[in-house]
Amino acid sequence: GDSVTQMEGPVTLSEEAFLTINCTYTATGYPSLFWYVQYPGEGLQLLLKATKADDKGSNKGFEATYRKETTSFHLEKGSVQVSDSAVYFCALGFSGGYNKLIFGAGTRLAVHP
Amino acid sequence: EPEVTQTPSHQVTQMGQEVILRCVPISNHLYFYWYRQILGQKVEFLVSFYNNEISEKSEIFDDQFSVERPDGSNFTLKIRSTKLEDSAMYFCASSVIRDRFSYEQYFGPGTRLTVT
């Protein structure tokens, strides 16, 4: 079945370090891919998305490119801040509006000054 | 900015009791969802709801679960007889379709359900 695999956390970085969180997926068909972020005490917020192969999603300095050949959607940021500390979830979904999202296990990021 | 709200933020109940988790989706959204996250595990899909009926449900969503949109604003998840393994964070989400390939689900802050 369809699934998402994320690198395990926690990931601990110093401020201004480069971030990569790996995400790979297995899917039948052509899903859209998403990164959601959950800050402490809050709900899941959509960070970025890509709807087809080679699309790059970007937001708040984060980027991820939909790589169909490697079935990956790795999240990157060039210089993290303490305020980026959160749990990051990779997810896939299919067009149709009411289709479910399938999430990875989440990766906790801790950035220290 | 419009947001999905959920009440209560934390619910403690005894095994076998019924609980109702409440959600107010974003007002112009048409698609509604419930997900849950058992502590330390993945966020899992439970059910989607559109046009006053269930569109899809997972194997988790058995006869103990039900959903309802009792009025124009609320969307509820009922668990009839709670079990210890129902303890989890429950997230409500809603979405609207912009085009065939672009839709976003907006999530609420979650209700933490603890079954004792």
Side-chain angles (χ1 to χ4, degrees):
Chain A
D2 304 324
S3 65
V4 175
T5 302
Q6 285 182 241
M7 62 186 287
E8 288 190 22
V11 174
T12 304
L13 294 173
S14 298
E15 207 164 23
E16 298 183 4
F18 184 85
L19 168 71
T20 300
I21 300 178
N22 290 337
C23 171
T24 57
Y25 68 90
T26 302
T28 52
Y30 302 98
S32 295
L33 300 174
F34 306 85
W35 277 100
Y36 279 81
V37 59
Q38 184 179 30
Y39 298 103
E42 298 185 16
L44 299 166
Q45 300 175 25
L46 179 65
L47 180 60
L48 54 83
K49 66 181 181 186
T51 57
K52 60 184 187 299
D54 300 324
D55 268 3
K56 177 185 282 189
S58 61
N59 186 27
K60 300 181 182 180
F62 291 89
E63 292 183 340
T65 301
Y66 189 142
R67 300 284 189 204
K68 187 166 177 286
E69 64 277 12
T70 55
T71 62
S72 65
F73 192 56
H74 304 321
L75 182 68
E76 296 182 336
K77 187 175 185 184
S79 175
V80 292
Q81 305 300 312
V82 172
S83 57
D84 293 327
S85 299
V87 181
Y88 293 82
F89 293 91
C90 185
L92 66 82
F94 292 91
S95 62
Y98 49 80
N99 283 330
K100 60 182 182 251
L101 290 174
I102 296 169
F103 285 88
T107 302
R108 182 175 297 279
L109 170 65
V111 181
H112 55 85
Chain B
E1 186 176 330
E3 57 183 20
V4 177
T5 59
Q6 290 185 242
T7 54
S9 57
H10 190 193
Q11 174 88 49
V12 181
T13 189
Q14 289 191 327
M15 197 166 50
Q17 295 297 303
E18 174 184 287
V19 293
I20 297 176
L21 309 183
R22 291 185 166 79
C23 168
V24 179
I26 295 172
S27 62
N28 64 332
H29 285 190
L30 301 176
Y31 301 85
F32 313 111
Y33 313 82
W34 284 101
Y35 294 81
R36 79 173 186 189
Q37 185 182 28
I38 294 171
L39 189 63
Q41 298 186 24
K42 292 186 179 188
V43 176
E44 301 172 290
F45 168 79
L46 291 178
V47 66
S48 59
F49 191 86
Y50 170 70
N51 200 25
N52 280 320
E53 59 183 30
I54 290 174
S55 304
E56 186 178 357
K57 60 183 180 179
S58 72
E59 61 274 11
I60 302 168
F61 194 88
D62 61 22
D63 291 345
Q64 293 300 311
F65 291 87
S66 62
V67 289
E68 193 177 31
R69 188 155 162 82
D71 52 43
S73 58
N74 290 284
F75 179 51
T76 62
L77 174 69
K78 182 193 290 186
I79 309 175
R80 288 189 183 82
S81 178
T82 50
K83 303 188 278 286
L84 293 175
E85 54 265 37
D86 294 327
S87 295
M89 180 74 87
Y90 288 80
F91 293 105
C92 174
S94 66
S95 72
V96 63
I97 305 304
R98 290 191 176 84
D99 57 53
R100 184 182 169 200
F101 298 104
S102 178
Y103 66 98
E104 297 173 8
Q105 292 188 22
Y106 293 81
F107 283 77
T111 293
R112 180 165 296 286
L113 176 66
T114 302
V115 182
T116 61

